[in-house]
Amino acid sequence: MIFRQLFDSVSGTYTYLLASRPGGEALIIDPVLEKVDRYLQLVRELDLKLVKAVDTHLHADHITGLGALRDHTQCITVMGEQTKADVVAMRVSDGDRVTIEGLSLDVLYTPGHTDDSYSYVMGNRVFTGDTLLIRGTGRTDFQNGDPRAQYDSIFNKLLRLPDETLLYPAHDYKGDTVSTIGEEKRFNPRLRVKSIDEYVQLMNSLNLPNPKMMDVAVPANVRIGFHQDEIARKGWAVAASEALDMRGRTDVTLVDLREKSERERHGAIPGSIHAPYPALQENLDAGGMLHALAVAAGKRIIFYCAFGERSAMAVQAAQDAGLKTASHIEGGFDAWKKTGGPIVH
């Protein structure tokens, strides 16, 4: 397995690059905008294909690299379903899994630092974001932070992982790179409280200054969505209500780009074909399923995904591949549901 811990000294942020093998798919956790060129260089050097970029929460101390990485690599952006970010391609919730070739991360909802804070467990490693730090815990005094929720996240979720679990946080300001759950139980001063009320009192009395970048970072990190309006301006978008009217037409094929787990959890548009986004290029190439549908069968391809992020990128790729009738449902399956479109499970 490839595992790299990268550091941004300005914000004290750790970023993690994961892959099961050289030449395979890769995933990145908590990327920093200013370091995107370095990540892309490393991905090239290790012959990896970046397919997912994950933020553990909406950061207040740096601008995320999610949008830039997506624009460079067409990777899927991932955050928790509570995020205030305008558009992320995949929103996860407690109990979900984030998978790439050869690797699987279990999703834990661990609010408290923010209301959209998540941790990710991969085998004997846990990526805790800013929920549980090395010999500390994330502050709880902004972005709907809640010390009670954080106590529950730490004591009832993270500390129940095996003691030997390696703990990788999103930040450290002292130079520590890794700890274990067992170490934090024994030595983390924030965890020596006798009750939840004592923890709340401790966190509420910290009186920390706001992060220097907060006024810049939070608004920037809310606006990371792919510019679907550009796709619409080119005439490659249909509203969910239009797609509803097209349902059942023999010259139209609706193509669902989401992952199997998303379809199982949220349902799908009746009659749509499942062609997951990671296999898009293969399906668009000559001999691929989507190429055959569009060229040989003369079908108009209409892509959809969760929120329109992946489908907007898919339209651009299809147009580049010569499939000139390709379009997508603006706003994705979310817009379809809000329009009252039928759903099958």
Side-chain angles (χ1 to χ4, degrees), residues 73-95:
T73 69
Q74 286 71 59
C75 67
I76 295 170
T77 53
V78 182
M79 289 185 77
E81 64 181 0
Q82 294 81 4
T83 184
K84 305 292 189 298
D86 54 354
V87 183
V88 288
M90 185 182 295
R91 297 187 182 212
V92 294
S93 61
D94 193 74

Side-chain angles (χ1 to χ4, degrees), residues 76 87-90 228 255-259 262-263 266-269 275-277 302-314 327-337:
I76 295 170
V87 183
V88 288
M90 185 182 295
Q228 292 186 45
V255 176
D256 186 354
L257 297 167
R258 297 171 303 158
E259 298 191 356
E262 294 175 276
R263 285 166 60 89
H266 300 291
I269 298 176
Y277 179 77
I302 300 180
F303 294 108
Y304 75 93
C305 60
F307 302 99
E309 179 99 338
R310 282 166 278 184
S311 57
M313 292 190 286
S327 54
H328 84 125
I329 299 177
E330 201 162 15
F333 190 65
D334 183 59
W336 176 270
K337 285 191 296 186

